[in-house]
Amino acid sequence: MVLILASILLPLDYSRERSDSYEHYVSNWEDVGISNVVASILTDWRAYDTLGETVVLFTAVYGVYILLRGKRKEKEGEDGGEKG
Amino acid sequence: MRMSSIVRNSSRLVSPFLVAYGAYLIIHGHISPGGGFQGGVILSVSVILLITSHGYKAVRKAFSVRLVKIVESMSALLIIMISLIGLIFGTYFFNFLRGGEPGTLFSGGTVVLLNILIGLEIGAAFTLLFYVLLRWTESD
């Protein structure tokens, strides 16, 4: 498996391709008025992605909550009310 | 098997400072390095520290699962609200609170609000995760 993948992936060209979004962020970061460029990218240029990240984390935690809620040890039967 | 009183008292002393540090990271996220995600994790660490030292049941009285769930879903809802309010002023997620010059606290506008809400949401998410995973090891 590893050999197959190696034969496929190694000959690929991994040189940095020029994406203009980097220059765009670096060149005019002032008009957002935030000195921390990383935070400005995270919450202002690409706030939609951050919204996606937050929702992904939200659903992940609620998935774990729903999955693991039912499995209680019998000893702890009495506070079943808290489950609701 | 309770923790010794030294551990309990010291963790009780340290966790408020952790909360302060997490809040600092969140609020000053757009000036100094930091931001919603890192600050939120530190907020949840302060609760987890209390759980490890004081045991699961004691901390659950203070931060009930219901409270953690409410905080998490409310902040997620507010983030979506802010993005929709931005819609009125123009494009989606429009930064309608454009503040002062870059260096100050209010320079970010919605970025500050977003950071705070993201921080709260992630803090509540990880504490909820810890509550759920800890529910079986009632070893306090």
Side-chain angles (χ1 to χ4, degrees):
Chain A
M1 179 65 178
V2 169
L3 287 182
I4 299 166
L5 281 180
S7 62
I8 294 169
L9 292 181
L10 282 184
L12 292 182
D13 165 28
Y14 288 104
S15 68
R16 230 181 81 80
E17 80 284 351
R18 305 304 309 163
S19 70
D20 54 2
S21 66
Y22 173 74
E23 275 77 22
H24 177 68
Y25 292 143
V26 170
S27 56
N28 44 23
W29 63 274
E30 286 83 13
D31 51 11
V32 175
I34 296 165
S35 46
N36 181 353
V37 182
V38 173
S40 77
I41 288 181
L42 195 62
T43 45
D44 198 312
W45 295 107
R46 289 184 174 270
Y48 201 55
D49 304 345
T50 318
L51 174 73
E53 279 160 36
T54 328
V55 167
V56 160
L57 180 80
F58 182 79
T59 45
V61 169
Y62 261 89
V64 169
Y65 178 71
I66 290 171
L67 280 179
L68 296 184
R69 186 183 46 174
K71 296 183 179 48
R72 293 288 182 79
K73 281 185 350 192
E74 322 73 41
K75 168 173 78 59
E76 202 215 11
E78 83 290 2
D79 64 350
E82 183 257 343
K83 179 199 289 263
Chain B
M1 195 275 294
R2 283 168 60 86
M3 290 279 190
S4 73
S5 66
I6 302 167
V7 171
R8 269 185 283 123
N9 290 334
S10 57
S11 77
R12 203 182 301 147
L13 283 178
V14 163
S15 64
F17 294 109
L18 271 179
V19 174
Y21 181 60
Y24 162 74
L25 275 184
I26 291 174
I27 292 170
H28 291 272
H30 61 288
I31 303 170
S32 63
F37 292 94
Q38 300 80 351
V41 168
I42 289 189
L43 284 184
S44 68
V45 158
S46 69
V47 176
I48 292 169
L49 176 74
L50 282 179
I51 289 180
T52 48
S53 70
H54 286 270
Y56 176 65
K57 279 209 166 30
V59 178
R60 209 175 54 188
K61 290 191 196 65
F63 301 102
S64 73
V65 182
R66 225 162 56 81
L67 171 71
V68 174
K69 281 195 288 186
I70 287 171
V71 167
E72 187 184 3
S73 15
M74 273 316 291
S75 41
L77 203 65
L78 284 176
I79 293 176
I80 296 167
M81 269 253 293
I82 284 184
S83 59
L84 291 180
I85 290 173
L87 208 57
I88 303 169
F89 290 91
T91 59
Y92 192 57
F93 264 119
F94 184 76
N95 191 345
F96 51 87
L97 285 177
R98 192 56 58 80
E101 84 278 3
T104 61
L105 187 58
F106 303 107
S107 63
T110 53
V111 170
V112 181
L113 291 182
L114 274 182
N115 263 335
I116 292 174
L117 289 174
I118 290 174
L120 279 180
E121 208 250 331
I122 284 179
F126 282 117
T127 43
L128 182 66
L129 200 63
F130 220 77
Y131 276 167
V132 167
L133 293 178
L134 258 182
R135 184 165 288 164
W136 303 336
T137 62
E138 301 288 279
S139 66
D140 55 319

